[in-house]
Amino acid sequence: MARITVFNQKGGVGKTTTALNLAAALARAGEHPLAIDLDPQAHLTALSGVTINGAEESLYAHYRDNKPLASLVKDTGRGWQLVPAHLELSKIDTQFGKGPNALNRLKTALIREQLNGARPVIIDCCPLLGVMSLSAIFAADKVLVPVSADYLAVKGALQVEKTLNALGPVLKKRIQRRYVITRFDARRKMSWEIYNSFRSKFGADVCETKISESVSLAESPFAEKDVFDHAPSSRGARDYQALYDELKSNNFLQPDIEEMPRPALVGHAGPFLAGTPHQLATLR
């Protein structure tokens, strides 16, 4: 199944909430997903219930110590597994640079170690556009973009669209993406205006499912649970189940035809992402 990166350059849009509850919905369907936490804040790790003793048990050790990705996988006890994050991930940009070896490393490990295959991979990344988030996009078959129903949502989504379009020539494909509106309030006219504006701008790339603002989604992180465990009959649980059903029905959970990263891709990506100010400015 597909590797899906949950990404937005704007914070506070429900990105980790979406990664957590999509992983939970996949687990409920018997898909046994693997989640990867690429955010140094490690919110997904905390919400999964996984506890680690230090950076050596996190994704950081894959970069620093060349530990196999498979050796870092932890079981959540909830039907899905996790490669946890640690604050030390914030050092990746300065320690390993923005070259193609760093940017392709996650994708290469997932394929070489056969951690994907018949099960989906959900990748949660930080909102900053650095090595970690770019690596997540490089590793993904598809990108899921949560966008909150607020005033700055459309502007932020245009920046995401610009970023994904700029990376398309590097990856030699159009990056498949879906925008999902979060924190939607059907009673507010502005929520509907934002949703309709998105549908007008991005068409079929916008999910029909909308994630409503709800008490259950606000409370579940405090309980360190996904919304299905916390409040299985709630509106939040129904919304994320509907999102899973929609993504499955339109084949968004199916992978692209995959192979190991090609030398041509690496050679093309290197100069672009190594970082002249002009080139990096196109992604900001």
Side-chain angles (χ1 to χ4, degrees), residues 74-147:
K74 309 292 184 184
D75 192 76
T76 65
R78 303 173 185 178
W80 53 282
Q81 295 181 311
L82 174 79
V83 177
H86 189 275
L87 184 61
E88 291 291 294
L89 284 173
S90 61
K91 299 179 180 178
I92 294 293
D93 288 57
T94 55
Q95 290 180 340
F96 298 97
K98 297 181 176 69
N101 290 336
L103 292 168
N104 278 315
R105 188 164 183 168
L106 178 61
K107 179 177 182 177
T108 301
L110 284 168
I111 298 171
R112 183 180 60 234
E113 298 181 35
Q114 299 182 344
L115 290 175
N116 190 190
R119 69 171 175 175
V121 174
I122 304 298
I123 305 173
D124 186 30
C125 50
C126 68
L128 299 176
L129 193 64
V131 169
M132 288 290 90
S133 53
L134 287 170
S135 295
I137 296 171
F138 269 49
D141 295 304
K142 320 282 176 72
V143 176
L144 182 63
V145 186
V147 184

Side-chain angles (χ1 to χ4, degrees), residues 22 25 29 209 238-251 253:
L22 182 56
T209 301
R238 293 196 302 272
D239 285 350
Y240 274 107
Q241 182 62 48
L243 178 63
Y244 163 79
D245 291 341
E246 179 179 347
L247 296 178
K248 186 173 180 65
S249 69
N250 62 26
N251 293 321
L253 300 179

Side-chain angles (χ1 to χ4, degrees), residues 20 23-24 27 32-36 44-51 72-84 119 224-226 229:
L20 172 69
H32 306 293
L34 172 66
I36 302 177
L44 182 60
T45 300
L47 295 178
S48 73
V50 167
T51 301
L72 302 170
V73 173
K74 309 292 184 184
D75 192 76
T76 65
R78 303 173 185 178
W80 53 282
Q81 295 181 311
L82 174 79
V83 177
R119 69 171 175 175
E224 295 187 354
K225 294 181 177 180
D226 60 73
D229 280 344

